[in-house]
Amino acid sequence: MPTEAEAETELAAVLRAKGLRMTAQRQLVLEAVRALGHATPEQIHERIRGQVEGVNITTVYRTLDLLEELQLVSHTHLSHGAPTYHLSGDRGHAHLVCHRCGRITEVDPSLFANAREEVADASGFVMDIGHVAVFGTCAECLEKER
């Protein structure tokens, strides 16, 4: 994963190539996504609120849309609420989401290779395992039950 300075340089270069300016808002949103790992726009807004003027929830949503268009962040739907954003370089994983505590665990998509083949054989549908969320109960919550 790139350092903050490398990411800032990458963001500035991508923006310049598209004829756009580097702004404090854009930088803060990208830094918040990196720091939080997986975050909703509301969580990102909460983290950066008050650090620079003019960053309201609408600014966060617009900035995330731009960063996704620039392929710097991606989103996944991990629940019925707002999308969850993460760095685009993190796309090569599936998400395990605990119903009880909300923990999100990343796993290698190859764990789902057999399921992908079985679904394709049965229906002709090919799953995008790098962009999937599976819901259940994490080991820690199961241990608390015992």
Side-chain angles (χ1 to χ4, degrees):
M1 184 172 326
T3 66
E4 282 187 35
E6 291 169 337
E8 183 179 337
T9 302
E10 177 188 6
L11 175 58
V14 170
L15 290 168
R16 272 195 308 275
K18 298 284 185 177
L20 301 169
R21 296 183 303 114
M22 174 68 145
T23 65
Q25 292 93 338
R26 291 170 179 165
Q27 181 179 344
L28 282 172
V29 169
L30 186 59
E31 288 172 5
V33 171
R34 177 181 301 98
L36 295 169
H38 291 88
T40 64
E42 290 77 14
Q43 291 167 325
I44 294 164
H45 180 250
E46 183 64 29
R47 182 173 178 97
I48 65 175
R49 186 175 55 161
Q51 291 184 33
V52 68
E53 286 188 39
V55 179
N56 57 38
I57 192 66
T58 302
T59 301
V60 171
Y61 272 98
R62 286 182 183 153
T63 302
L64 288 168
D65 285 345
L66 173 65
L67 294 174
E68 189 162 31
E69 182 182 315
L70 298 173
Q71 300 179 348
L72 295 172
V73 301
S74 305
H75 79 274
T76 303
H77 293 276
L78 299 179
S79 67
H80 296 293
T84 301
Y85 288 83
H86 52 89
L87 296 178
S88 289
D90 290 347
R91 283 194 62 127
H93 60 265
H95 303 91
L96 305 179
V97 183
C98 181
H99 283 296
R100 296 188 184 153
C101 69
R103 175 179 289 131
I104 301 167
T105 304
E106 298 173 4
V107 296
D108 192 292
S110 66
L111 292 175
F112 296 96
N114 289 342
R116 185 176 195 257
E117 290 175 23
E118 288 179 26
V119 168
D121 289 346
S123 67
F125 183 85
V126 178
M127 296 187 302
D128 177 3
I129 301 300
H131 194 95
V132 68
V134 178
F135 296 86
T137 307
C138 73
E140 287 185 28
C141 287
L142 288 172
E143 184 62 34
K144 287 177 187 175
E145 276 185 8
R146 294 182 190 147

